[in-house]
Amino acid sequence: MAVSVLLVEDDQNISQLLQMYLEKEGYAVISASNGSQGLTKFRSIKPDLVLLDVMMPVMDGWAVCKAIRAESQVPIIMLTAKGETDDKVQGLKSGADDYITKPFEMREVLARVEAVLRRSSGVTAEKKARRLVYDKLIIDMDAFELIVDGKKVDAPPKEMELLFYLASSPNRVYTRNQLLDEVWGFDYFGDSRTVDVHVKRLREKLEGVSPEWSLKTVWAVGYKFEVNTQ
């Protein structure tokens, strides 16, 4: 069965071009011309991946991304004409897995789609027994739940994957590039600031919860999940 891609893009020329290239690569593409229509189609077809434009009528991409993320962990790639850091950060906060800045080359789009799908299927294949327990902290990748001090805390997929990866090897220091390679994939097209954004968001959820562990910055190197061994 072909991998299904929901393409939500209001520019008809871009939409038709993307659909043509994706279908040429064997993907089954369902298109929508605005955010509201895109959300409706998402709920009816349950696609394997969503390509989501940001600036759209009726309902913008940020709102659609948040609505999808509230009910599904399906991979989402944002399409945006804006390349500023604030827009990229907003996409990550909304729960997007990746973003592509217009104008883009079709081979870049295809590479990102393949990379995101590969990482997503890898997470699914390795879900078994992926549960870590520390004092006042449970990272459950089976249920995709983060429990902090007895309460479920909402966290986007990449925050969960990053925290799980760090906490799986307590006290080991990872560089930003290592984390990009392991969590986002070696062919990720972003930069190391992506890691900083996710760590900052995790710290907002975890700071001061327990004296037995913490998410530490190792200056000029990277990050580690530090566990107090005393």
Side-chain angles (χ1 to χ4, degrees):
M1 184 179 292
V3 173
S4 59
V5 177
L6 174 61
L7 171 60
V8 189
E9 167 64 67
D10 67 318
D11 187 312
Q12 188 174 3
N13 292 329
I14 294 176
S15 179
Q16 289 177 348
L17 191 61
L18 281 168
Q19 183 164 352
M20 180 182 70
Y21 273 85
L22 287 165
E23 288 179 343
K24 187 178 178 181
E25 294 298 314
Y27 296 103
V29 181
I30 304 91
S31 62
S33 58
N34 64 61
S36 179
Q37 183 185 84
L39 188 57
T40 299
K41 288 192 175 184
F42 170 79
R43 288 168 173 161
S44 64
I45 66 174
K46 306 294 184 185
D48 298 303
L49 180 140
V50 179
L51 277 173
L52 181 60
D53 188 31
V54 172
M55 303 304 294
M56 291 186 295
V58 184
M59 188 178 188
D60 69 23
W62 305 133
V64 176
C65 182
K66 289 179 181 177
I68 290 175
R69 193 52 79 226
E71 56 192 77
S72 171
Q73 302 302 329
V74 66
I76 300 173
I77 300 176
M78 305 295 291
L79 304 173
T80 174
K82 300 179 180 180
E84 292 83 1
T85 299
D86 287 348
D87 293 291
K88 296 175 182 178
V89 170
Q90 185 173 352
L92 296 172
K93 286 182 177 180
S94 300
D97 294 275
D98 200 356
Y99 53 82
I100 305 174
T101 304
K102 299 177 185 177
F104 45 71
E105 293 187 12
M106 288 300 161
R107 62 181 181 177
E108 177 188 357
V109 175
L110 294 173
R112 288 174 182 265
V113 167
E114 290 172 6
V116 168
L117 285 170
R118 184 165 59 250
R119 294 196 298 272
S120 174
S121 63
V123 170
T124 301
E126 296 170 8
K127 277 178 81 174
K128 204 169 186 181
R130 296 185 71 197
R131 188 174 188 267
L132 298 175
V133 179
Y134 289 96
D135 180 51
K136 299 182 181 179
L137 176 67
I138 299 173
I139 311 163
D140 190 339
M141 300 302 285
D142 290 341
F144 238 92
E145 289 183 346
L146 179 62
I147 310 296
V148 181
D149 201 10
K151 298 177 182 177
K152 183 179 177 180
V153 174
D154 291 332
K158 278 293 172 281
E159 285 184 19
M160 289 282 294
E161 291 172 36
L162 176 60
L163 180 60
F164 183 87
Y165 188 78
L166 288 168
S168 294
S169 301
N171 298 321
R172 176 176 173 179
V173 180
Y174 290 94
T175 67
R176 290 171 177 81
N177 285 336
Q178 284 176 321
L179 293 171
L180 283 173
D181 287 348
E182 296 298 330
V183 179
W184 278 262
F186 69 91
D187 44 8
Y188 179 68
F189 287 88
D191 57 39
S192 62
R193 287 177 297 180
T194 299
V195 177
D196 298 335
V197 169
H198 282 71
V199 169
K200 180 177 182 294
R201 297 295 295 174
L202 283 168
R203 280 197 175 125
E204 292 173 358
K205 298 176 173 71
L206 303 175
E207 202 76 52
V209 171
S210 170
E212 296 186 14
W213 52 263
S214 59
L215 198 53
K216 290 281 189 179
T217 299
V218 181
W219 298 111
V221 182
Y223 297 102
K224 67 176 177 177
F225 185 85
E226 187 174 87
V227 174
N228 186 355
T229 56
Q230 294 181 349

